[in-house]
Amino acid sequence: PSNAAARKPATPEAAARAPAVSTAGADRDEPLVEAKFDATTLHNPKPPYPLTARRKGIEGRVLLAAHVRADGTCAEVRLKHSSGHGLLDQSALDTVRRWRFLPARRGRAFVDSWVDIPISFRLEG
């Protein structure tokens, strides 16, 4: 039997929680290199400006916290600070859930982490 079979999660639920990239060898003494969401190679779209908010002249800044898996996908997004406008907050949350990330690293191993994401909605002109 191979070692890969021994590491296979026992249930589908465990498999869904398991990182796609191994964190074996991640040394806790190594500094954490934070996950990145703004690398141009990721092509993450800006959240759409809700038409109703645009028409009403609503602007704001949302601060989100994203749980980034070791494979660069987003496991969860939380609202850390509201813009004060639900339309803006929801647009930001919905968009970031679909983003890809450069995962955090500890040494040479990719690890799960949380990263803060500020998003500004500003009308120009």
Side-chain angles (χ1 to χ4, degrees):
S2 74
N3 286 342
R7 290 190 310 257
K8 184 177 177 185
T11 65
E13 294 80 15
R17 291 189 306 269
V21 179
S22 174
T23 58
D27 186 351
R28 288 279 177 208
D29 294 335
E30 291 282 339
L32 180 70
V33 177
E34 285 193 12
K36 298 195 183 311
F37 58 89
D38 53 357
T40 56
T41 57
L42 295 171
H43 306 289
N44 287 328
K46 289 183 179 180
Y49 212 124
L51 186 57
T52 302
R54 184 182 296 276
R55 286 182 178 157
K56 292 181 178 183
I58 296 172
E59 297 182 331
R61 183 175 182 273
V62 179
L63 182 60
L64 304 176
H67 179 204
V68 179
R69 292 184 185 111
D71 68 357
T73 60
C74 184
E76 179 182 356
V77 181
R78 295 181 185 168
L79 184 64
K80 281 187 82 170
H81 189 268
S82 172
S83 66
H85 304 283
L87 289 170
L88 302 182
D89 296 349
Q90 196 60 53
S91 178
L93 286 162
D94 291 344
T95 301
V96 170
R97 279 187 188 105
R98 296 187 305 268
W99 278 4
R100 295 286 302 179
F101 297 81
L102 296 177
R105 285 184 297 112
R106 221 180 257 291
R108 292 175 28 176
F110 294 112
V111 295
D112 288 9
S113 68
W114 285 87
V115 63
D116 287 349
I117 304 170
I119 296 178
S120 294
F121 290 89
R122 297 277 177 248
L123 295 169
E124 298 179 21

